[in-house]
Amino acid sequence: MPLKDINDLEKLKKINAALVSRVERSMDQQGNAFSLFQTAISLENRVRTRTEELHSTLRRLEQSNIDLSAAKENAEFANLSKTRFLAAASHDVLQPLNAAHLSVSALAEVQTSDEGRKLVRQVERSLETMEDLLRTLLDISKLDAGVVHPDIGDVSLEALFSSLRSDFQPVAEMKGLSLKFRPVNALVRSDRTLLRRILQNILSNALGYTRSGGVLVGTRHRGDTIRIDVADTGCGIPEDQREAVFEEFHRGTLPANAGLDGGGLGLGLAIVRRMAGALGHPVTFSSRVGRGTIFHIDVPVGIGAPADTIASATSLERSRGYGLFGTKVLLVENDAEVLEAMTFLLERWQCLVRSATSTDDALDLLGDTDWVPDIVIADQHLDGGDLGTATISEVRDYLGRAVPALIVTADSSEAVAKAARAGGIELMRKPLKPAQLRALLAHLLA
């Protein structure tokens, strides 16, 4: 074969190979394009499915949110209803409880035998336990319902400590324990009543669970915060009970011969946590079993002059020695049992008592110009819808002078407290402690 033909044949083979290669590449590209097309369709279907699932989930979530919101509203309404019920029930229960307190106190003064005085003390302790339980349950209900609004102001720690020392020193001495408060000249920002209740409950627990040694209360400055420490040498809190101690009706194991019957109601630290939460005061503790416990309360530093001083805090204690002989008391009370018990008690203190059940009755008694009251004691809720604060105001207008006055009521609402403050009227809650009543009357008259 000629060389030329051989060369042409080789060229044709190369051209054919190139054409075949181009055709194959073209087919591969078409195959790839088809594959991509199938993949795109598959992805679109998956996206559509996922989108539908997401929309369905969102619809279920929206419905769940609606259901949760409705459940929350129902729970809040139930809480408020419970609080209103407890407030009304506590008022009705505190009235006869107050009468019982006054009657027992009067009974104690006429007892001549040791056996009689012993029985009176037992009744008093039982009444106090009932009162503490009722008040604590009401406080817990209010805190849970969110209806407690702290009255924040500057509080003198020295005055607060002085008041607590006066209350707990006899308890410590009776148990043979030491109770020490380190001197402090500081103000904190808090609600005085709630902060005192927190410390009162912690102190009560500390003394209750301590067999020997004692309790020390001190403070430490930590920047813009003052840490109040309550340290005891008691039995300590086991590791597995550190959270449970804040639960309702949880009572730790009392040491032998602790000096308390049953360790209280188990509500002290439950109310502490709630009150501290309402105030925004962190409460923590450290403890070692058999060595003791230290509770810490962190409170913001005060910014102004103290609203109360040591002198005002201790004035009631100093006034206990003052007499009430011949004091003319206008008593306005519409509960027959309370009226009878209060009258008997005041007369035992050598007071001259005239009683009324409404504003008109009280003003009628003032028609006798030979008898002008030295002090007015009134319940807040009287016959005919009269209010004690308004009655006192009318009595003062009639007499033309700001006669000392005291509202005694089982109504624990802030509205009553504000009305009393606005009128320059002292306020005491029922049930009364007769010794506190006598001290306050002597203080007002002095």
Side-chain angles (χ1 to χ4, degrees), residues 110-182:
V110 299
Q111 291 300 312
T112 57
S113 68
D114 291 340
E115 184 65 23
R117 285 191 288 269
K118 180 181 178 181
L119 290 173
V120 167
R121 284 194 296 271
Q122 289 177 351
V123 174
E124 285 179 333
R125 283 195 295 269
S126 297
L127 290 174
E128 288 171 359
T129 300
M130 290 172 58
E131 178 191 349
D132 288 343
L133 177 59
L134 183 64
R135 286 196 183 282
T136 302
L137 290 174
L138 180 60
D139 288 341
I140 288 177
S141 175
K142 286 182 176 180
L143 289 164
D144 285 346
V147 297
V148 173
H149 304 292
D151 183 12
I152 302 297
D154 285 342
V155 179
S156 165
L157 284 183
E158 184 60 36
L160 186 58
F161 286 1
S162 176
S163 173
L164 290 167
R165 183 190 298 110
S166 174
D167 285 353
F168 285 97
Q169 193 67 52
V171 179
E173 291 175 355
M174 182 179 65
K175 297 188 61 179
L177 302 174
S178 68
L179 175 60
K180 296 181 180 179
F181 290 78
R182 285 180 178 162

Side-chain angles (χ1 to χ4, degrees), residues 179-195:
L179 175 60
K180 296 181 180 179
F181 290 78
R182 285 180 178 162
V184 57
N185 183 20
L187 299 175
V188 293
R189 294 289 293 174
S190 186
D191 181 300
R192 188 184 192 280
T193 301
L194 294 181
L195 180 59

Side-chain angles (χ1 to χ4, degrees), residues 16-26:
N16 182 62
L19 290 173
V20 170
S21 176
R22 184 176 297 178
V23 171
E24 287 177 346
R25 284 200 303 272
S26 176

Side-chain angles (χ1 to χ4, degrees), residues 17 61 84 89 98 132 148 160 162 173 176 194 206 210 251 258 286 291 318 325 337 358 366 376 410 419:
L61 183 59
R84 286 193 292 267
N98 180 58
D132 288 343
V148 173
L160 186 58
S162 176
E173 291 175 355
L194 294 181
T210 299
R251 295 185 292 181
S286 55
R291 299 292 297 274
R318 292 200 303 268
F325 180 83
E337 291 183 357
S358 65
L366 301 179
V376 181

Side-chain angles (χ1 to χ4, degrees), residues 205 208-209 249-255 257-267:
N205 264 21
Y209 288 90
F249 301 106
H250 176 86
R251 295 185 292 181
T253 304
L254 278 172
N257 303 319
L260 290 179
D261 297 328
L265 302 169
L267 292 170

Side-chain angles (χ1 to χ4, degrees), residues 311-346:
S312 64
T314 57
S315 61
L316 292 184
E317 295 302 316
R318 292 200 303 268
S319 70
R320 291 183 188 276
Y322 301 163
L324 297 175
F325 180 83
T327 300
K328 296 174 182 176
V329 180
L330 175 58
L331 177 61
V332 190
E333 171 64 69
N334 65 327
D335 186 287
E337 291 183 357
V338 175
L339 181 63
E340 182 180 359
M342 180 76 88
T343 301
F344 184 81
L345 187 64
L346 291 169

Side-chain angles (χ1 to χ4, degrees), residues 211-438:
R211 184 191 305 175
S212 62
V215 178
L216 174 65
V217 182
T219 59
R220 287 180 289 167
H221 281 266
R222 301 164 61 91
D224 295 332
T225 300
I226 291 181
R227 168 164 284 189
I228 303 173
D229 294 323
V230 181
D232 65 59
T233 57
C235 57
I237 300 172
E239 190 71 30
D240 60 352
Q241 294 185 24
R242 298 211 166 191
E243 187 61 27
V245 295
F246 291 104
E247 297 175 359
E248 295 89 344
F249 301 106
H250 176 86
R251 295 185 292 181
T253 304
L254 278 172
N257 303 319
L260 290 179
D261 297 328
L265 302 169
L267 292 170
L269 293 181
I271 197 77
V272 162
R273 168 169 281 187
R274 286 169 168 83
M275 287 184 172
L279 291 170
H281 299 345
V283 174
T284 56
F285 70 88
S286 55
S287 184
R288 293 180 63 185
V289 175
R291 299 292 297 274
T293 303
I294 306 176
F295 272 88
H296 315 286
I297 307 100
D298 294 328
V299 190
V301 175
I303 58 176
D308 42 18
T309 64
I310 301 173
S312 64
T314 57
S315 61
L316 292 184
E317 295 302 316
R318 292 200 303 268
S319 70
R320 291 183 188 276
Y322 301 163
L324 297 175
F325 180 83
T327 300
K328 296 174 182 176
V329 180
L330 175 58
L331 177 61
V332 190
E333 171 64 69
N334 65 327
D335 186 287
E337 291 183 357
V338 175
L339 181 63
E340 182 180 359
M342 180 76 88
T343 301
F344 184 81
L345 187 64
L346 291 169
E347 289 178 345
R348 289 290 304 174
W349 295 341
Q350 305 300 311
C351 296
L352 305 175
V353 183
R354 290 193 178 183
S355 59
T357 60
S358 65
T359 302
D360 290 340
D361 288 347
L363 294 176
D364 288 343
L365 293 176
L366 301 179
D368 181 0
T369 55
D370 293 332
W371 192 90
V372 178
D374 298 307
I375 194 165
V376 181
I377 302 174
D379 189 7
Q380 176 64 359
H381 301 287
L382 303 168
D383 284 351
D386 291 347
L387 298 178
T389 47
T391 300
I392 290 170
S393 178
E394 293 199 32
V395 167
R396 286 172 168 175
D397 288 343
Y398 184 91
L399 296 175
R401 65 185 182 90
V403 59
L406 169 65
I407 287 291
V408 179
T409 180
D411 188 339
S412 60
S413 68
E414 181 60 24
V416 175
K418 287 182 179 178
R421 286 195 297 268
I425 303 168
E426 294 292 330
L427 177 68
M428 290 190 78
R429 306 289 189 188
K430 293 179 180 178
L432 292 176
K433 299 290 191 300
Q436 292 177 0
L437 173 63
R438 184 170 183 172

